[in-house]
């Protein structure tokens, strides 16, 4: 028996149309899971890759900054697949400005998308998972779950919040069959980090601190998600797994 096999599981991945979410969805599908993509836009490219891996894909559209649609995502999944085994809370945004100029809108938008929706979608999923006494929730945290960052106050607050929430939910649900963990990606080449990579000085400084000597590629993240979604992680709870090329070790 392969402890990492996800055959027969259903995994919901938010923000699965692009970047890390797309890569996570495809990795889970290749490990055997059927996939529910949640995205603001068409996730057809991800769905095609999931189907090419021989798995089924349900595409749901949602704006995750609005809480009222979240329970419906779980209901639609159950109506289609009959179960939800894995939730990956990946969707997230970032806004950059000096703290002294930071606006309330840039605070609220980021906190709502990156933190508030993580809690309320996890709650909706857990109401189903607790009935079955089985489920895996994986939150996408950040290096800024550990560090302060610069010019990203709401992002740092949200990702530090995700780390705390991961531990709180693990404390409440670990004894009830649900594993709640997080993955903290280091610096990955996606839309989220485009501004950093375009800034010659920041790009050079960041690369100089990564022991692996390169930016992460979205495919670098899949193995950690498959692990945390699988039976191999049944006794792993409230952990924040850094996948960072060594950034935090520096
Ligand atoms: P990305 O911008 O390519 O992807 C973000 C995804 O979230 C997109 O699919 C987007 O549509 C979705 N999304 C944003 N707001 C949404 C909303 N209101 N409703 C529905 N979907 C919404 O960036 P990415 O790098 O792939 O980011 C994915 C996650 O990884 C984010 O939580 C991000 O904070 C985190 N992360 C990224 C890095 C990195 O280096 N790229 C590092 C640490 C953490």
């Amino acid at each position: 028996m392969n402890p990492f096999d996800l055959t027969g599981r259903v995994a919901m991945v938010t923000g699965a149309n692009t970047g890390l979410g797309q890569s996570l969805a495809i990795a889970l599908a290749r490990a055997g899971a059927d996939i529910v993509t949640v995205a603001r836009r068409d996730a057809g490219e991800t769905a095609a890759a999931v189907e090419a891996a021989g798995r089924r894909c349900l595409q749901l559209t949602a704006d995750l900054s609005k809480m009222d649609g979240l329970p419906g995502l779980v209901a639609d999944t159950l109506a289609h697949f009959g179960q939800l085994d894995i939730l990956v809370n990946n969707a997230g945004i970032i806004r950059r400005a000096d703290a002294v100029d930071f606006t309330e809108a840039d605070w609220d938008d980021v906190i709502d998308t990156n933190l508030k929706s993580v809690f309320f979608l996890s709650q909706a999923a857990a109401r189903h998972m607790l009935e079955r006494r089985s489920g895996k929730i994986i939150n996408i945290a950040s290096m800024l779950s550990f560090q302060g960052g610069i010019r990203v106050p709401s992002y740092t607050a949200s990702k530090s919040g995700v780390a705390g929430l991961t531990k709180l939910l693990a404390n409440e649900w670990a004894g009830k069959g649900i594993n709640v963990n997080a993955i903290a990606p280091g610096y990955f080449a996606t839309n989220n980090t485009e501004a950093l990579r375009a800034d010659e000085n920041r790009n050079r400084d960041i690369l100089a601190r990564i022991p692996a000597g390169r930016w992460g590629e979205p495919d670098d993240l899949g193995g950690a998600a498959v692990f945390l979604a699988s039976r191999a992680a049944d006794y792993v709870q409230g952990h924040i797994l850094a996948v960072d090329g060594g950034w935090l070790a520096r």
Side-chain angles (χ1 to χ4, degrees), residues 125-145:
R127 286 178 176 157
H128 164 68
M129 291 172 174
L130 288 167
E131 272 174 24
R132 300 172 67 217
R133 294 190 69 82
S134 170
K136 308 276 188 197
I137 297 177
I138 303 166
N139 298 324
I140 302 303
S142 164
M143 294 297 96
L144 303 190
S145 302

Side-chain angles (χ1 to χ4, degrees), residues 14-21 38-41 62-66 89-93 113-114 140-143 155 159 184-193 215:
T14 67
N17 55 312
T18 185
L20 302 185
V38 177
R40 275 180 305 191
R41 298 187 191 83
D63 177 353
L64 294 166
S65 67
K66 308 276 183 293
N89 284 307
N90 163 79
I93 56 173
T113 305
N114 293 14
I140 302 303
S142 164
M143 294 297 96
Y155 187 81
K159 293 298 185 178
Y187 285 80
F188 277 69
T190 67
N191 300 333
N192 178 291
T193 52
W215 285 75

